[in-house]
C-alpha cells in the first residue's frame, strides 16, 4: 500500500511560484499513476495534474495548463508539482494521490497542503 505525504504549500502573491512535493513510500513512484488534486472551500475537487505510470505521459486541465508542471523523481520516490504564474483562483488545499494503472478510482491520498494566493 502506498503512503503519501505532501509538503511545500504556503502563501504567495499573485504571479509567484510554489513547488509542492509528495514523498511516496510503500511502492515506487514510477509503478503507479500519480496525480495532484485541489479542493477549495465550497468547490468540487479538481484534478490539476496527472503523470501516468506507462511512458510518463502527463495531463493538465485547461485551468492550469502552461502554468503547472508535474514530475517524478524515481530515485528519491518524490512526486512534485511546480506551480508558476499563480492566481488567486489557485487557492486551495492540494493533495497528491496514487492508483494502480488498471483501476479508475484514485486509491491513496495524502493529507494535503494548503496553497494561498493573494492578489
Amino acid at each position: 500500500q502506498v503512503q503519501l505525504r505532501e509538503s511545500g504549500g504556503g502563501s504567495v502573491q499573485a504571479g509567484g511560484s510554489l513547488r509542492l512535493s509528495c514523498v511516496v513510500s510503500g511502492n515506487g513512484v514510477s509503478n503507479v499513476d500519480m496525480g495532484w488534486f485541489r479542493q477549495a472551500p465550497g468547490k468540487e475537487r479538481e484534478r490539476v495534474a496527472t503523470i501516468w505510470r506507462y511512458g510518463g505521459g502527463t495531463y493538465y486541465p485547461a485551468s492550469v495548463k502552461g502554468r503547472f508542471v508535474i514530475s517524478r523523481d524515481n530515485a528519491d520516490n518524490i512526486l512534485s508539482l511546480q506551480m508558476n504564474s499563480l492566481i488567486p483562483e489557485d487557492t486551495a488545499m492540494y493533495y497528491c494521490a496514487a492508483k494502480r494503472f488498471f483501476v479508475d478510482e484514485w486509491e491513496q491520498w495524502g493529507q494535503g497542503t494548503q496553497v494561498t494566493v493573494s492578489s
Side-chain angles (χ1 to χ4, degrees):
Q1 186 171 350
V2 174
Q3 291 86 44
L4 309 172
R5 186 174 75 252
E6 304 97 334
S7 63
S11 297
V12 64
Q13 288 194 326
S17 298
L18 281 174
R19 185 176 182 87
L20 306 183
S21 296
C22 176
V23 176
V24 181
S25 58
N27 202 341
V29 68
S30 61
N31 292 337
V32 290
D33 295 336
M34 298 214 64
W36 285 97
F37 292 73
R38 67 185 180 189
Q39 188 164 24
K43 294 189 176 182
E44 291 188 357
R45 186 170 60 197
E46 176 188 18
R47 179 158 50 108
V48 297
T50 311
I51 186 164
W52 306 112
R53 173 190 176 181
Y54 286 109
T58 57
Y59 164 80
Y60 307 92
S63 57
V64 306
K65 195 170 186 177
R67 301 188 298 121
F68 288 13
V69 178
I70 188 172
S71 62
R72 64 188 183 197
D73 182 328
N74 295 340
D76 291 336
N77 249 15
I78 295 175
L79 179 76
S80 298
L81 183 68
Q82 178 66 41
M83 305 187 294
N84 302 319
S85 302
L86 285 162
I87 59 178
E89 290 76 13
D90 294 321
T91 295
M93 185 72 78
Y94 283 72
Y95 302 88
C96 68
K99 69 175 185 68
R100 291 167 291 174
F101 71 93
F102 52 87
V103 302
D104 293 331
E105 292 288 328
W106 291 88
E107 299 174 289
Q108 305 300 330
W109 296 84
Q111 82 288 351
T113 186
Q114 177 68 37
V115 171
T116 302
V117 184
S118 58
S119 57

